[in-house]
Amino acid sequence: MLEELKQRVYEANMLLPKYGLVTFTWGNVSEIDRESGLFAIKPSGVDYDKLTPEDMVIVDLNGNKVEGKYNPSSDTATHVELYKAFPEIGGIVHTHSSYATSWAQAGRGIPCYGTTHADYIYGEVPCLRCLTKEEIEEAYEENTGHLIVNEFKAMNKDPKAVPAVLCKNHGPFAWGKDAHEAVHNAVVLEEVAKMAYRAETINQRIQPAPQELQDKHYYRKHGANAYYGQNGGK
Amino acid sequence: MLEELKQRVYEANMLLPKYGLVTFTWGNVSEIDRESGLFAIKPSGVDYDKLTPEDMVIVDLNGNKVEGKYNPSSDTATHVELYKAFPEIGGIVHTHSSYATSWAQAGRGIPCYGTTHADYIYGEVPCLRCLTKEEIEEAYEENTGHLIVNEFKAMNKDPKAVPAVLCKNHGPFAWGKDAHEAVHNAVVLEEVAKMAYRAETINQRIQPAPQELQDKHYYRKHGANAYYGQNGGK
Amino acid sequence: MLEELKQRVYEANMLLPKYGLVTFTWGNVSEIDRESGLFAIKPSGVDYDKLTPEDMVIVDLNGNKVEGKYNPSSDTATHVELYKAFPEIGGIVHTHSSYATSWAQAGRGIPCYGTTHADYIYGEVPCLRCLTKEEIEEAYEENTGHLIVNEFKAMNKDPKAVPAVLCKNHGPFAWGKDAHEAVHNAVVLEEVAKMAYRAETINQRIQPAPQELQDKHYYRKHGANAYYGQNGGK
Amino acid sequence: MLEELKQRVYEANMLLPKYGLVTFTWGNVSEIDRESGLFAIKPSGVDYDKLTPEDMVIVDLNGNKVEGKYNPSSDTATHVELYKAFPEIGGIVHTHSSYATSWAQAGRGIPCYGTTHADYIYGEVPCLRCLTKEEIEEAYEENTGHLIVNEFKAMNKDPKAVPAVLCKNHGPFAWGKDAHEAVHNAVVLEEVAKMAYRAETINQRIQPAPQELQDKHYYRKHGANAYYGQNGGK
């Protein structure tokens, strides 16, 4: 069942080594079929160069494995919580990509310093707090999902406009309308994290890009008046 | 029409991924045919690995599409302004290359710290101010071109001697006598941006290279007394 | 004799250039056969692209060459001391990998700033003192081994839980249950060293990851209650 | 004439792009035949992917072209001075390799922070002063050679033990017993420059490696008591 979904999720997972976002097995991508409420996700700890489409694991929104010979990613419970709370997203990716993870380790959100960022992400990429000892011990991966959801609500952030987050001392999650767009956003996040790192070194009194420039670039590519690419009306 | 021009512009665009200057579709190259007043430019938002010479879009100096099935680059209006104001240039490139964009995000021009820079660029690569809210809302891409032109005039900079500029919180534009030389200068700019970044980290009291050394290297490669390469008289 | 061991050690050595951990001949991997008390190690100063399985040198735990046409790695005596003192390890690797060596040159251990680190290494990767002039002149490589062993004892560190160390002004050693795992840990170490470097630049008041998060990730992958990958009980 | 020399110099030049030491044509390698007093050097400004062994230019120690259809490297006069003053060297390389050039731009010598450096270079890699306006205008490339020679004499540095130098605001020269060893040393220099850059960021109170450790590593590989590799007596 869901062979096309598994193929797409396989291909999206294989983009992670292609774009240099993973070392060894440090990443996973999923995509959900909203009709059935099932999603496909990478199996846990399987090498990318041995991965096949059939290895993808099918999981339901209770986190139960429905099909597959392997255990799903150890981060599956986080994916479940995000799919449940964010009905507008269809794909999720977690990596330990180097620059984004360095910001997460540093415990800082990534300010919007330029249009590369604003073209895809509206405003700062937030870095959340660590889970408490109780949250970790009770249900680490599930509570990671709860924290992302609750903090986005508390910050009044739209997950479509801010398709990425940093978990403190851990690493990034990114998402999109499907697995492919989720990986695309993870690549953007890594580039943005790299440029912000360097920009702060070049100018220690750096300020975020002016709001009107952020708006211009974000809305040049998103929403009713977008004119970037081949779909706009210009 | 202009098949050779489209071929050259296609090839110049394909140098951007080859030299690591672009992620996804974040760059565009154009070249103008001065006789007809028409230029070829990359279509907007089309992936580099799907690009063909026939996809190049022909545009006139009023910014109107003359030929091509795709929309031209969203930055086309900036190219138009530069071609109109700088008759000595024949090719233009815009990228979000990592180090040059980091300087742009930091809002600083790149000082000339050495001969790698002086061999190609006479003096600092300037970083311009952001556009105002009014300039952005009225005609963002066109006004980006106006700003570059006006600031080069105000600074009395010769666009042949300073073939690159940083737009604050955005990224670099570079140019040259044709599309190929424009890309060559974009590669130089990225290398120079990288070395300047590192040199400032190594010595926080760093000073620009002495003027006589800058002059020596620039004029060793440019002008009547050049002797670098196979064209000089030495 | 020990043809399979030589083959495995050859393959593990060839992973060093694959993962970008060595320049020229700056690295060596060994693996021990605990039954015979013999280990195979890379020959000294032989280029990786000329290396063959038969070139591996067999050495006993007195440091004497038992088989092989080449001299063993100049660091052989360090390997001997580690194999003698740490019976739970089966493979050792030494490199001058760039980030880990930079921390060694800086004379600082690598703090545990996140889960990438905690997934494999329990707590800080220690940086040991330099050998004294007497220790260097008497028996440099052997005394390097003694120092690692003695400092691990003094710090009460378990070499299974902390499978890497930095030798001040020199570079890293890493180890594991066999040559392949030792190289895997050397790759982890380099990634962790890179992220810690960047994280400290991003936040100069950075603190190590909370202990409960380190524990969670380490024990998610190690010990009786591990559930990462395909071997856990989850 | 000197076909083998041209072949060797061609191959050594081609190592520069292989090891990532050059962008475009920013580098040149030569090797001298001490019997005839002639050396082969890369032609000026010719692309590496078009270079052939026959393109190498033969030059005498007066700097006159003896054979070849191209102009020799614009830095030929510097090579001449080094060959005349340092009879123990047989090959020379000049690059704008990124990290070494950044140190040169910063105007600082590279301290010996570890054994990677000490294995090949005895003590600091010096960064010389800029040429004066008069020296530049009179004979820039020749005076660059004079400066290197005079400063090495003034510092009492042995060019065999310190096979590299940084020219301020310009970039590195390296040398060796032949062209191949010169390029090898240029690769070492770039690695050492990279590690020193990072080590200073990690620890701002860093000190050079203890002299006894530098001595140990240098003499483990050089001189009568060397035992690294397959030529030593151990």
Side-chain angles (χ1 to χ4, degrees), chain D residues 208-226:
Chain D
Q211 190 59 45
E212 58 267 19
L213 185 65
Q214 295 189 39
D215 287 349
K216 177 65 187 178
H217 270 263
Y218 188 74
Y219 292 111
R220 193 168 84 154
K221 291 190 108 168
H222 298 85
N225 296 315

Side-chain angles (χ1 to χ4, degrees), chain A residues 90-230:
Chain A
I92 299 171
V93 56
H94 170 57
T95 75
H96 288 206
S97 70
S98 177
Y99 279 97
T101 302
S102 297
W103 281 86
Q105 292 192 162
R108 289 185 55 206
I110 305 173
C112 179
Y113 288 135
T115 63
T116 316
H117 184 127
D119 277 336
Y120 295 94
I121 303 165
Y122 194 72
E124 179 178 278
V125 177
C127 180
L128 307 183
R129 65 167 172 83
C130 278
L131 296 185
T132 65
K133 195 159 191 278
E134 292 66 34
E135 289 168 327
I136 288 171
E137 288 173 359
E138 185 216 12
Y140 174 60
E141 293 85 1
E142 183 183 329
N143 284 333
T144 297
H146 288 161
L147 181 66
I148 295 171
V149 169
N150 293 338
E151 294 285 318
F152 265 61
K153 277 190 193 144
M155 293 184 292
N156 202 23
K157 287 210 182 250
D158 171 2
K160 288 291 272 186
V162 183
V165 70
L166 304 179
C167 294
K168 188 163 182 298
N169 297 119
H170 184 31
F173 283 84
W175 48 77
K177 68 178 186 212
D178 54 23
H180 189 271
E181 191 180 279
V183 172
H184 193 285
N185 285 332
V187 175
V188 171
L189 177 66
E190 182 66 6
E191 285 298 309
V192 157
K194 181 164 62 182
M195 287 179 182
Y197 171 89
R198 291 173 180 163
E200 291 194 347
T201 301
I202 294 168
N203 182 354
Q204 286 167 31
R205 288 172 300 180
I206 191 173
Q207 294 295 321
Q211 190 59 46
E212 58 266 20
L213 184 65
Q214 295 189 39
D215 287 348
K216 176 66 186 176
H217 270 262
Y218 187 75
Y219 292 112
R220 193 167 83 154
K221 292 189 106 169
H222 299 85
N225 296 314
Y227 59 89
Y228 180 92
Q230 300 304 324

Side-chain angles (χ1 to χ4, degrees), chain C:
Chain C
M1 59 189 276
L2 298 171
E3 298 308 312
E4 285 180 33
L5 183 70
K6 288 196 277 188
Q7 178 69 29
R8 278 203 305 280
V9 170
Y10 164 75
E11 289 171 8
N13 270 288
M14 294 311 289
L15 291 175
L16 298 184
K18 178 185 165 186
Y19 282 112
L21 298 184
V22 292
T23 302
F24 298 129
T25 61
W26 307 347
N28 48 72
V29 186
S30 73
E31 182 177 311
I32 193 165
D33 174 67
R34 286 285 179 190
E35 276 196 39
S36 63
L38 301 175
F39 65 93
I41 190 165
K42 183 179 174 293
S44 181
V46 174
D47 280 351
Y48 280 93
D49 43 7
K50 294 183 182 156
L51 211 60
T52 67
E54 303 82 59
D55 295 341
M56 299 302 110
V57 186
I58 302 292
V59 179
D60 67 22
L61 285 177
N62 296 314
N64 295 318
K65 181 164 85 168
V66 172
E67 184 190 289
K69 63 181 181 238
Y70 288 120
N71 296 335
S73 165
S74 56
D75 297 305
T76 296
T78 310
H79 292 239
V80 166
E81 295 310 313
L82 297 181
Y83 283 131
K84 287 199 294 192
F86 298 156
E88 60 274 58
I89 72 172
I92 298 171
V93 55
H94 169 56
T95 75
H96 289 207
S97 70
S98 178
Y99 280 96
T101 302
S102 297
W103 282 87
Q105 292 192 163
R108 289 187 53 207
I110 305 173
C112 179
Y113 287 134
T115 62
T116 317
H117 184 127
D119 277 335
Y120 295 93
I121 303 165
Y122 194 72
E124 179 178 279
V125 177
C127 180
L128 307 183
R129 65 168 171 81
C130 279
L131 296 185
T132 64
K133 194 158 192 280
E134 290 67 34
E135 289 169 327
I136 289 172
E137 288 173 358
E138 184 216 12
Y140 174 59
E141 293 84 2
E142 183 182 330
N143 283 334
T144 297
H146 288 161
L147 181 66
I148 296 170
V149 170
N150 292 337
E151 293 286 318
F152 265 60
K153 277 190 193 144
M155 293 183 291
N156 201 25
K157 287 210 182 252
D158 171 3
K160 288 290 272 186
V162 183
V165 70
L166 304 178
C167 294
K168 188 164 183 295
N169 297 118
H170 184 30
F173 284 83
W175 48 78
K177 69 177 186 213
D178 53 25
H180 190 271
E181 190 180 279
V183 172
H184 193 285
N185 285 333
V187 174
V188 171
L189 176 67
E190 182 66 5
E191 286 298 309
V192 157
K194 181 164 62 182
M195 287 179 182
Y197 171 89
R198 291 174 181 163
E200 292 195 347
T201 301
I202 295 168
N203 182 354
Q204 286 168 31
R205 287 172 302 181
I206 192 172
Q207 294 295 322
Q211 190 60 44
E212 58 267 19
L213 185 66
Q214 294 188 39
D215 287 348
K216 177 65 186 176
H217 271 261
Y218 188 74
Y219 293 111
R220 194 168 82 154
K221 292 190 106 168
H222 299 85
N225 295 315
Y227 59 91
Y228 181 93
Q230 299 304 324
N231 302 315
K234 194 189 182 178

